[in-house]
Amino acid sequence: MPHAHARPLTAPASGPLKGVAEVPGDKSVSHRALILGALAVGETVVTGLLEGEDVLATAEAMRLLGAEVERTGEGAWSVHGVGTGGFKEPARVIDCGNSGTGVRLIMGAMATTPIAATFTGDASLNGRPMGRVTDPLARFGAQAFGRSGGRLPLTILGAEVPVPVRYETPVPSAQVKSAVLLAGLGAPGETVVVEREATRDHTERMLAGFGARIGVEEGPEGRVITLGGQPELRPQAIAVPRDPSSAAFPVCAALVVPGSDVLVPGIGLNPTRAGLYETLREMGADLSYEDEREEGGEPVADLRARFSDGMRGIEVPPGRAASMIDEYPILSVVAANAEGTTLMRGVRELRVKESDRIDAMAAGLRALGVEVEEGEDWWAVHGRGAGGVPGGARVEARLDHRIAMSFLIAGMAAAQPVTVDDAAPIATSFPVFEPLMRALGAQFRAENR
Ligand code: S3P
């Protein structure tokens, strides 16, 4: 379902793609920088913040909860925090737009402060499960009120007398883990989160940077994260790295568009985020890491991707799913342009993202002439080889930025143009996607309406 101001966009065969693609700041890190900045005492200065709709919604939420949040320049933001436990009751409903990360982390951050806050979002977010966060928050003493089914809109009444919690996450989710840790900041004693599979660890790293007492151990049950409650968080200077999940789009476009050679500099290759790049190399992609270095404690490299004739489908190890969970849509486009079958297992979580991403990609790829099989937690794409995707269809983005971007890239490598019914959601995570891709050689056409 497109939204009220749907913006159809068409990608015809384009390229070769050439040049340097400077992708914006990491979405996960940007949300966390604003939220932890709002919980610290004093001024946190952030550079390289992603100024996409999702993150801007989180900035507004932090203002409603009492922090001073100000934009001081391009990507430069200042946050004057209120200290842990210092949030005030918001005067109006907090609208997190399209952002699951925003709403789930903010619910966690306010759940151990005795205030009430009501959360809502767009049609996509209001259809996503929130019980995975409200259940553990209830253990701290917070209450959630809403219609049955655990969907937004929801009101959270923060715990009057919070108690610390030990919680084993039932699904591999950095959002759930982070919500529990942020709630733990407001509880006395130690909060413990156990995750069977490692998910992105930006919250743990950033909490340590802000001076929280946090320890991580690998045990037989998985990763055990222990956080000391009610710390005084020290404000930080945070340089947000560029987003590997956004970098995936120009990188994969270069791999599938003949004659391309694209450099994507300064990409964070934190192992909890870099699974796609490992997978692409196993498929035979001409993808190199240049100038590998460390920045702000994170491994970083410039990614260089060139058109790769003869990539082969592989079975993606399920244990890698968490480290590339947002990248399966664009991987499936590369898979369609590879030889043989790409099998993706252990990916049930894809069904509860901004859209049911297995269903959305399968439907669209089939419309483009690609054979796809799917089950509840797996799917398989039967590749047609380089340049072998027929295209020539209009597909639904389903209010999902990554679905929209994936199909625009599919169109750039297909025989006939591909139209997405609504490119507007791209602004949630990658507001400069269109100009950036055009500068490399993409020839998107907006529909005359
Ligand atoms: C995110 C975690 C992932 C990911 C999302 C960002 C985060 O979601 O899909 O885009 O910043 O913590 P889940 O925690 O639901 O897997």
Side-chain angles (χ1 to χ4, degrees):
M1 181 186 54
H3 60 62
H5 308 287
R7 207 163 50 75
L9 195 65
T10 297
S14 309
L17 304 176
K18 301 267 184 192
V20 178
E22 298 202 328
V23 304
D26 191 289
K27 180 152 70 77
S28 294
V29 175
S30 295
H31 283 294
R32 288 159 172 81
L34 294 175
I35 295 169
L36 285 183
L39 287 169
V41 179
E43 185 188 12
T44 286
V45 174
V46 188
T47 52
L49 189 89
L50 167 64
E51 294 176 332
E53 289 171 1
D54 279 10
V55 175
L56 298 179
T58 289
E60 184 56 21
M62 292 304 106
R63 287 189 192 109
L64 284 170
L65 288 164
E68 275 173 47
V69 183
E70 227 186 303
R71 184 178 194 263
T72 55
E74 203 184 316
W77 289 67
S78 151
V79 184
H80 285 271
V82 296
T84 51
F87 279 157
K88 68 164 199 205
E89 193 156 286
R92 36 187 185 81
V93 171
I94 294 178
D95 185 346
C96 289
N98 192 249
S99 182
T101 307
V103 75
R104 292 184 176 126
L105 269 56
I106 297 167
M107 281 180 180
M110 58 72 57
T112 44
T113 303
I115 56 172
T118 301
F119 296 88
T120 192
D122 68 6
S124 158
L125 187 58
N126 288 358
R128 298 179 66 186
M130 294 297 144
R132 55 177 55 198
V133 171
T134 55
D135 288 352
L137 297 183
R139 301 192 188 191
F140 286 96
Q143 296 175 69
F145 304 94
R147 289 167 300 171
S148 63
R151 302 286 196 267
L152 298 178
L154 280 174
T155 297
I156 307 288
L157 184 58
E160 196 86 43
V161 186
V163 290
V165 156
R166 179 186 170 91
Y167 192 67
E168 293 181 25
T169 53
V171 286
S173 166
Q175 294 176 4
V176 173
K177 168 178 68 178
S178 301
V180 175
L181 290 173
L182 292 172
L185 288 175
E190 284 189 344
T191 286
V192 179
V193 182
V194 182
E195 57 175 4
R196 238 169 303 155
E197 293 171 47
T199 63
R200 65 192 68 194
D201 62 358
H202 306 298
T203 302
E204 297 92 304
R205 286 174 187 251
M206 209 183 276
L207 277 169
F210 273 86
R213 294 184 311 281
I214 184 163
V216 182
E217 280 169 37
E218 304 287 341
E221 341 132 85
R223 283 179 85 237
V224 182
I225 306 149
T226 305
L227 174 74
Q230 300 180 332
E232 181 170 314
L233 298 181
R234 291 189 304 263
Q236 296 293 294
I238 298 175
V240 179
R242 297 182 194 273
D243 197 325
S245 299
S246 296
F249 294 99
V251 163
C252 291
L255 299 178
V256 298
V257 172
S260 299
D261 184 348
V262 168
L263 187 73
V264 190
I267 299 304
L269 291 175
N270 177 321
T272 62
R273 295 289 299 281
L276 172 74
Y277 300 110
E278 214 174 320
T279 301
L280 292 172
R281 286 170 140 192
E282 286 174 13
M283 293 173 78
D286 186 349
L287 171 65
S288 51
Y289 297 167
E290 302 188 350
D291 192 12
E292 289 184 57
R293 55 202 187 267
E294 279 230 341
E295 279 176 16
E298 298 267 357
V300 167
D302 303 339
L303 304 183
R304 182 159 193 185
R306 298 183 181 88
F307 171 61
S308 302
D309 209 354
M311 283 186 286
R312 299 166 304 281
I314 62 165
E315 181 173 341
V316 183
R320 197 182 285 163
S323 70
M324 54 179 288
I325 194 67
D326 290 336
E327 281 67 73
Y328 284 94
I330 188 62
L331 174 66
S332 71
V333 171
V334 175
N337 285 278
E339 313 276 350
T341 298
T342 297
L343 175 61
M344 298 163 275
R345 294 191 295 118
V347 291
R348 186 185 305 275
E349 279 294 299
L350 291 179
R351 297 209 178 268
V352 290
K353 296 294 177 187
E354 286 82 330
S355 67
D356 175 340
R357 285 183 169 159
I358 297 179
D359 196 65
M361 288 309 299
L365 285 171
R366 287 181 189 128
L368 306 188
V370 179
E371 203 188 316
V372 182
E373 293 172 86
E374 60 175 296
E376 192 43 40
D377 74 339
W378 65 273
W379 53 317
V381 174
H382 298 287
R384 298 186 56 97
V389 175
R394 182 184 176 96
V395 299
E396 286 181 10
R398 301 191 189 178
L399 282 182
D400 188 329
H401 52 130
R402 299 199 202 281
I403 302 299
M405 290 187 277
S406 296
F407 280 120
L408 289 169
I409 285 163
M412 291 164 60
Q416 296 297 323
V418 173
T419 300
V420 295
D421 65 341
D422 188 9
I426 294 172
T428 61
S429 72
F430 199 162
V432 297
F433 173 78
E434 280 179 55
L436 180 144
M437 293 304 298
R438 280 184 206 276
L440 296 177
Q443 291 164 12
F444 301 142
R445 285 197 304 262
E447 225 163 72
N448 290 327
R449 279 176 299 152

